[in-house]
């Protein structure tokens, strides 16, 4: 549920990784920085989504409260 940011940043990281092998050596350092940052953001998005899924798994907001 809600893995769109993870998929988007993961696709960006994959494209940047592919471009690393196509572009000339003059931009390899810059691409390396961007690639590491993109994969890091992918991991952070994935962990954040797993955390949100875990926190909302028990769905305590649907409890019915008794009124007197």
């Amino acid at each position: 549920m809600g893995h769109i940011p993870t998929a988007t940043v993961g696709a960006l990281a994959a494209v940047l990784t592919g471009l690393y092998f196509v572009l000339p050596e003059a931009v390899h350092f810059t691409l390396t920085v961007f690639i590491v940052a993109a994969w890091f953001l992918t991991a952070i998005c994935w962990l954040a989504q797993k955390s949100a899924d875990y926190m909302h798994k028990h769905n305590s907001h649907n409890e019915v409260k008794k009124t007197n």
Side-chain angles (χ1 to χ4, degrees), residues 15-37:
V15 167
L16 287 175
T17 303
L19 284 176
Y20 179 84
F21 299 105
V22 177
L23 293 176
E25 270 187 50
V27 294
H28 277 188
F29 178 75
T30 305
L31 271 178
T32 301
V33 172
F34 289 146
I35 290 168
V36 169

Side-chain angles (χ1 to χ4, degrees), residues 48-61:
Q49 187 59 48
K50 286 294 179 184
S51 174
D53 290 345
Y54 177 78
M55 293 302 291
H56 292 69
K57 178 172 58 171
H58 299 294
N59 221 2
S60 62
H61 297 289

